[in-house]
Amino acid sequence: MFLFRSEEHVARWISQWNQPRGEVLTGDQIWGLASAWYSEDRREPTWRRKTKGEAEEIFQGLGLTSVFWKL
């Protein structure tokens, strides 16, 4: 994961390092994803892995809709 200040910073880095543009998330999207994904305590006996549908629902809710986020 790389952190950038702006879209211009992303573009400059891509050009400088000759890399393809990957997924770029806002700070709010990162926080939303982390909060949703890790909200349950895995030590609890009732914990279970999220289903494909549940994961895709989280992604959709955060506006993460590109092919990268399709499971």
Side-chain angles (χ1 to χ4, degrees):
M1 179 188 323
F2 295 101
L3 300 176
F4 298 100
R5 291 182 297 274
S6 64
E7 285 291 330
E8 294 79 21
H9 188 199
V10 172
R12 206 168 47 248
W13 186 89
I14 289 168
S15 176
Q16 179 180 359
W17 295 100
N18 194 29
Q19 294 293 313
R21 181 184 172 96
E23 290 295 302
V24 177
L25 282 66
T26 66
D28 287 340
Q29 286 174 313
I30 293 168
W31 182 254
L33 182 57
S35 297
W37 204 261
Y38 298 108
S39 62
E40 300 173 35
D41 188 340
R42 292 178 181 219
R43 297 171 296 177
E44 292 295 322
T46 57
W47 181 86
R48 63 172 179 71
R49 182 182 301 267
K50 289 177 182 20
T51 66
K52 176 182 171 184
E54 290 168 335
E56 287 183 337
E57 191 174 302
I58 291 169
F59 301 154
Q60 288 282 325
L62 294 168
L64 306 174
T65 58
S66 73
V67 173
F68 179 86
W69 298 100
K70 303 292 185 227
L71 300 178

